[in-house]
Amino acid sequence: MTFRQELLLHMTVDLAILTVRENRLNVLVIERGNEPYRGQDALPGGFVRPWETLDEAARRELAEETSVGGDELYLTVSGIYSAPDRDPRSRVVSVAYLAIAPDLPMPTAGSDAIGARWAPVDAVRATLAFDHAAILADAVELARTRLEFTTVAAAFCPSEFTIGDLRNVYEVVWGTSVDPRNFARKVAHTDGFVVPTGGKRAPETGRPATLYRRGPATTLNPPLLREATVDQASPELEPAGC
Amino acid sequence: MTFRQELLLHMTVDLAILTVRENRLNVLVIERGNEPYRGQDALPGGFVRPWETLDEAARRELAEETSVGGDELYLTVSGIYSAPDRDPRSRVVSVAYLAIAPDLPMPTAGSDAIGARWAPVDAVRATLAFDHAAILADAVELARTRLEFTTVAAAFCPSEFTIGDLRNVYEVVWGTSVDPRNFARKVAHTDGFVVPTGGKRAPETGRPATLYRRGPATTLNPPLLREATVDQASPELEPAGC
DNA sequence: GCAAAAGTGTTCTTGGTACACCCATGG
DNA sequence: CCATGGGTGTACCAAGAACACTTTTGC
């Protein structure tokens, strides 16, 4: 080690793993088993180890909490949190990741957690440990913006889905309603967003819908914009980075 | 310190300070005074100190290199670089910042640098130390995207500027040509982008142009899109974070 | 007058919104 | 038959692209 001791610090990755369950946006939270904030909910996360990149650390943590991984899943940095007092124990800088998953089976608890569960975002928002409420809010806002410019909405869906399922993702994540007819046309006219599987699926009542898989496209050009949100914490842009 | 020693690491902030000089996009580089990469060009940067946030560290470094600061200047995270071997001396995770400045007087050298200077982005790109070429490329791409969705173009201009100056920023940063007539209309019709100062400025030859100051708006709605770049490293989005 | 840059007006086209309407199924 | 969700066609409108044309200066 060639640098000064007093400049050393810890880094963690924290994960905001989002999914749509029962028409609500849910996030995976763990119940903390240790002080501080013992017994309170928190986002899953852990220390970055010396030989791994942040992305690797995030994927490792994700694998510990859920059973998915690899191409199934969308994973990207959503923010960096560096307030010196954000962890009462010592200096910890956290890199937050947004993960988007289809409606998964129940999660498994990690090492320093009592239990893991899905919780509606609105319900847990107020009760999270550390600065995780802010991390979650930023991650959700990022997810909303990504729906506008990329094809990630499909990452919320299982491998086969209908246009109605996809529209439901937009409605739940944005918290708005989307015109079904214009939405269907928009998706169909965006090359590579979805590809038909040939199958159909009948709803409880009504005409069966064609089934689709994710297509190769990653960006939406032109984008699928929601109503202009009032100029608040302006959604900003960054290349994928690490 | 309550956490394990072997998980400690160093963090730095690196700055990609961009400006437009002589119709080219320039970046501030320093000449390294120490090994490794002694004598080679690098982006300015330094260690994050125990009591400061990343933003504070970035502003401190910026003040050491240039004379500007505060509201004059646009400063935002552009990426995180965490490859374990990116610094041969020890584990260093770097948070990169994009800074946008008007054409400034000559920069001053920092502590561990021999000299600081402006260099055209294309010229230095290939010769930078560490992974700074990648950091610079990502920062430039972010700047290009920000021009589309925000009013930062004005941060490249001095306090008073013409529509032509502003258009020149777009042309230089994007590397394309922009229709002067449509551009002028677009800027004029975007509330709060620019406000006229009342003054005029005569070019070498031609009709004098009205002078403007930056307006209060930060986002461009609707955006000012360049030709759709081929779906490569898709420009992605994130909230400002820390 | 001429060159050059500023600025206006107009046409064409693209793509979004709103909505009327038809389709296919279960009950 | 009706209710319900899937899917098509079309009229309208906002905004970008292209470009003819006018304005205002220096030479």
Side-chain angles (χ1 to χ4, degrees):
Chain A
M1 194 70 71
T2 62
F3 300 130
R4 301 224 310 281
Q5 280 272 334
E6 68 269 29
L7 297 175
L8 288 165
L9 48 75
H10 289 281
M11 284 195 75
T12 56
V13 293
D14 287 316
L15 298 174
I17 310 170
L18 302 183
T19 195
V20 172
R21 284 170 71 90
E22 295 157 4
N23 287 325
R24 300 182 73 180
L25 183 62
N26 280 53
V27 61
L28 194 150
V29 293
I30 56 152
E31 187 181 339
R32 287 185 57 78
N34 301 321
E35 290 297 341
Y37 301 103
R38 183 203 290 253
Q40 219 171 310
D41 287 330
L43 298 178
F47 288 103
V48 178
R49 295 177 184 166
W51 60 84
E52 64 187 0
T53 65
L54 296 172
D55 278 20
E56 286 161 1
R59 288 201 177 272
R60 175 174 53 73
E61 291 291 336
L62 190 63
E64 289 173 12
E65 304 293 338
T66 69
S67 43
V68 287
D71 303 336
E72 279 292 297
L73 197 126
Y74 187 78
L75 185 67
T76 188
V77 172
S78 63
I80 314 171
Y81 301 85
S82 64
D85 58 350
R86 59 180 293 281
D87 188 312
R89 293 164 293 181
S90 90
R91 181 79 202 266
V92 178
V93 173
S94 179
V95 174
Y97 277 79
L98 162 66
I100 294 178
D103 190 356
L104 299 166
M106 222 46 189
T108 55
S111 44
D112 65 343
I114 297 172
R117 65 175 216 281
W118 293 110
V121 164
D122 330 303
V124 283
R125 180 162 280 164
T127 69
L128 292 175
F130 302 106
D131 53 0
H132 289 186
I135 294 177
L136 177 59
D138 290 347
V140 168
E141 184 50 39
L142 178 61
R144 290 190 173 132
T145 306
R146 293 270 159 111
L147 288 195
E148 297 184 289
F149 294 96
T150 74
T151 61
V152 275
F156 279 106
C157 297
S159 59
E160 290 203 326
F161 54 89
T162 67
I163 299 289
D165 294 339
L166 197 62
R167 180 171 51 84
N168 189 244
V169 168
Y170 277 88
E171 295 189 325
V172 169
V173 178
W174 284 351
T176 62
S177 61
V178 176
D179 185 295
R181 294 139 324 169
N182 293 333
F183 181 82
R185 206 188 345 253
K186 175 82 187 181
V187 171
H189 286 31
T190 304
D191 285 350
F193 192 171
V194 296
V195 293
T197 64
K200 298 244 174 203
R201 193 180 68 197
E204 296 138 19
T205 169
R207 170 176 170 177
T210 27
L211 286 168
Y212 296 86
R213 264 195 305 275
R214 299 175 206 174
T218 60
T219 57
L220 250 38
N221 217 301
L224 188 44
L225 301 171
R226 51 183 161 152
E227 319 307 312
T229 37
V230 228
D231 191 326
Q232 31 166 354
S234 59
E236 296 175 17
L237 322 170
E238 86 153 70
C242 49
Chain B
M1 194 70 74
T2 63
F3 299 131
R4 302 224 310 279
Q5 281 272 333
E6 67 269 28
L7 297 174
L8 287 165
L9 49 74
H10 289 280
M11 285 195 75
T12 56
V13 292
D14 287 316
L15 299 175
I17 309 171
L18 302 184
T19 197
V20 172
R21 285 170 70 90
E22 293 157 6
N23 286 327
R24 300 181 74 179
L25 184 62
N26 280 53
V27 60
L28 194 151
V29 293
I30 57 155
E31 187 180 340
R32 287 185 56 79
N34 302 321
E35 291 296 340
Y37 301 103
R38 183 204 290 253
Q40 217 171 312
D41 287 330
L43 298 177
F47 288 103
V48 177
R49 295 178 183 165
W51 61 85
E52 65 187 0
T53 65
L54 297 171
D55 278 19
E56 287 162 2
R59 289 203 177 272
R60 175 174 53 73
E61 291 292 336
L62 189 63
E64 288 173 13
E65 304 294 338
T66 69
S67 43
V68 286
D71 303 337
E72 278 294 298
L73 197 126
Y74 186 78
L75 185 67
T76 189
V77 172
S78 63
I80 314 172
Y81 301 85
S82 64
D85 58 352
R86 60 179 293 281
D87 188 313
R89 293 165 292 181
S90 90
R91 181 78 203 266
V92 178
V93 173
S94 179
V95 174
Y97 277 80
L98 162 67
I100 294 178
D103 189 355
L104 298 167
M106 223 46 187
T108 54
S111 44
D112 64 344
I114 298 173
R117 65 175 216 279
W118 293 110
V121 164
D122 330 304
V124 282
R125 179 163 281 163
T127 69
L128 292 174
F130 302 105
D131 54 358
H132 290 187
I135 294 177
L136 177 59
D138 290 347
V140 168
E141 183 51 39
L142 178 61
R144 289 188 174 133
T145 307
R146 292 273 159 109
L147 288 195
E148 297 185 288
F149 294 96
T150 74
T151 60
V152 276
F156 279 105
C157 297
S159 59
E160 289 204 329
F161 54 90
T162 68
I163 300 290
D165 294 340
L166 196 62
R167 180 171 52 84
N168 190 244
V169 168
Y170 277 89
E171 294 189 326
V172 168
V173 177
W174 283 352
T176 62
S177 61
V178 176
D179 185 292
R181 293 138 325 168
N182 292 334
F183 181 82
R185 207 187 343 255
K186 174 83 186 180
V187 171
H189 287 29
T190 302
D191 285 349
F193 193 171
V194 296
V195 293
T197 64
K200 297 243 176 206
R201 193 180 67 196
E204 297 138 19
T205 169
R207 172 176 169 176
T210 29
L211 286 168
Y212 296 86
R213 263 194 305 275
R214 299 175 204 173
T218 58
T219 57
L220 250 39
N221 217 302
L224 189 44
L225 301 172
R226 50 184 162 152
E227 318 308 308
T229 36
V230 227
D231 190 326
Q232 33 167 352
S234 59
E236 296 175 14
L237 322 170
E238 84 152 71
C242 50

